[in-house]
DNA sequence: CGCAAGGTACGAAAATGATCGTACCTAGGC
DNA sequence: GCCTAGGTACGATCATTTTCGTACCTTGCG
């Protein structure tokens, strides 16, 4: 039941932190790709090809992790990120659907 | 049919602007009070007793209005604010329930 | 071993956002 | 007409956030 290294528990996820995290378009893009992708998929930070430097990518993923939206697990060389889908749905039902819908009309 | 003075149309409401607006605790409090209060209620800006100056209150209400969350109508002396409940629900279903749930456990 | 790939830590610079004071405007009440 | 109450506009300040460069660490591979 632990906060392994900065992952808040389901009950400790705060709406303010979640909304602040999702206010950034880059972070919203990461969550949307995870949400619309295969269930339980684990991807590396770099696989999202964000148009910013490595240091900035680290910053954004930390924000997402500390808000409770993603889980990051060391896997040897790199660090895999997964969406905490069930946790988010339990705490903030419908939120992921809102994010998934963004940009669904075009593209 | 109009954008009367800075009220975006339903189709023009952007998720980014809405999430940014709701990232601030003061603005979230305004929307939550309107959402949990009587349907269609119109309140003045000052009736929320926000712990900030008049100028800052104006700033927050403009942010909410430009995001499409509230509608502001001049009524003689003051300016009444109403929640755009149906519009929000149509565009971002479930969002208001998320806000209303915040702080419902305590207080 | 040596080295590149993938990330993090640490500042620091730049942009954004929140806050305020003051001045100003408009409608109601006296 | 005058004054107050409720808001807005403008400009400035302060805090937060985004961004970066650089240095550093670790893992896997040749």
């Amino acid at each position: 039941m632990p906060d392994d290294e900065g992952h808040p528990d389901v009950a400790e996820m705060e709406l303010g932190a979640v909304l602040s995290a999702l206010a950034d378009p880059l972070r919203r893009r990461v969550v949307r790709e995870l949400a619309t992708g295969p269930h339980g998929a684990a991807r590396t930070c770099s696989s999202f090809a964000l148009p910013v430097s490595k240091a900035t990518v680290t910053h954004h993923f930390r924000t997402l992790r500390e808000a409770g939206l993603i889980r990051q697990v060391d896997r040897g060389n790199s660090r895999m990120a997964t969406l905490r889908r069930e946790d988010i749905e339990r705490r903030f039902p419908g939120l992921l659907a809102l994010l998934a819908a963004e940009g669904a009309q075009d593209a």
Side-chain angles (χ1 to χ4, degrees), chain A:
Chain A
M1 50 12 163
D3 282 13
D4 24 317
E5 212 68 46
H7 293 82
D9 194 50
V10 191
E12 290 164 354
M13 290 169 46
E14 293 180 17
L15 183 58
V18 169
L19 293 178
S20 293
L22 295 175
D24 185 277
L26 254 26
R27 291 194 290 258
R28 209 159 56 243
R29 168 169 148 186
V30 168
V31 174
R32 188 182 342 118
E33 288 194 24
L34 285 172
T36 57
H39 202 290
R43 297 177 52 178
T44 71
C45 300
S46 57
S47 76
F48 292 90
L50 300 183
V52 287
S53 73
K54 285 199 302 177
T56 304
V57 171
T58 297
H59 162 69
H60 283 309
F61 274 83
R62 169 170 40 223
T63 303
L64 288 172
R65 165 167 38 88
E66 291 179 348
L69 292 170
I70 64 170
R71 177 164 279 122
Q72 282 182 293
V73 185
D74 267 11
R75 209 198 69 182
N77 211 352
S78 49
R79 175 165 297 192
M80 309 305 281
T82 61
L83 186 65
R84 295 179 61 179
R85 205 183 290 258
E86 289 79 7
D87 291 343
I88 301 171
E89 201 58 33
R90 187 155 12 238
R91 190 90 169 83
F92 304 115
L95 178 61
L96 287 178
L98 259 41
L99 298 170
E102 187 189 21
Q105 61 279 17
D106 46 41

